[in-house]
Amino acid sequence: MRSIRVETSGATVLLTEAPEPKVKDRQSGEIAKDALSGETLMRLGVVYIDGGESSLLQVTVPESGVTEGLALGSPVTLIGLVARPWDTVFNGQQRHGIAFRAEAIAPAAISVGAGA
């Protein structure tokens, strides 16, 4: 399926769940790896606020893209964020959704207005 770039420059993104290894198989505990590089994939939660609306998103990031200094509740930047629609059949039921993946996550630069 096609990936769709997500424009984040006008949005506020706050970290709600610390990065942790993404589990590929819950029964075996197998950790998800990038198909091309073999690198461990990390899963994290953010709230994405734009245009007066907010959404909770789960985002996958390669382990090397997780920057030091991330704090829960703090603004972050998602570099190279893409959305990918998916669908599957699970236990005979059709399921679908949108998966989000970023190249990296870093603390957001906070701009200080004049006179502050």
Side-chain angles (χ1 to χ4, degrees):
M1 292 212 159
R2 185 164 177 13
S3 293
I4 303 162
R5 290 218 172 267
V6 178
E7 177 58 47
T8 60
S9 63
T12 299
V13 183
L14 305 173
L15 184 65
T16 59
E17 294 177 37
E20 59 184 38
K22 182 176 180 177
V23 177
K24 179 178 181 178
D25 183 334
R26 292 181 186 164
Q27 290 183 329
S28 69
E30 180 184 0
I31 300 299
K33 304 282 185 180
D34 182 89
L36 297 176
S37 70
E39 184 175 2
T40 297
L41 295 175
M42 306 298 283
R43 178 181 168 270
L44 54 96
V46 298
V47 63
Y48 183 93
I49 306 165
D50 190 22
E53 296 185 17
S54 65
S55 298
L56 292 172
L57 306 179
Q58 295 294 316
V59 181
T60 300
V61 178
E63 189 172 29
S64 64
V66 177
T67 307
E68 294 292 323
L70 299 174
L72 290 179
S74 66
V76 294
T77 299
L78 293 168
I79 300 157
L81 181 63
V82 295
R84 177 175 285 157
W86 61 268
D87 63 66
T88 188
V89 176
F90 182 74
N91 287 336
Q93 294 184 340
Q94 184 76 26
R95 299 182 62 155
H96 61 276
I98 300 173
F100 293 92
R101 181 156 175 175
E103 296 168 14
I105 182 172
I110 300 172
S111 60
V112 178

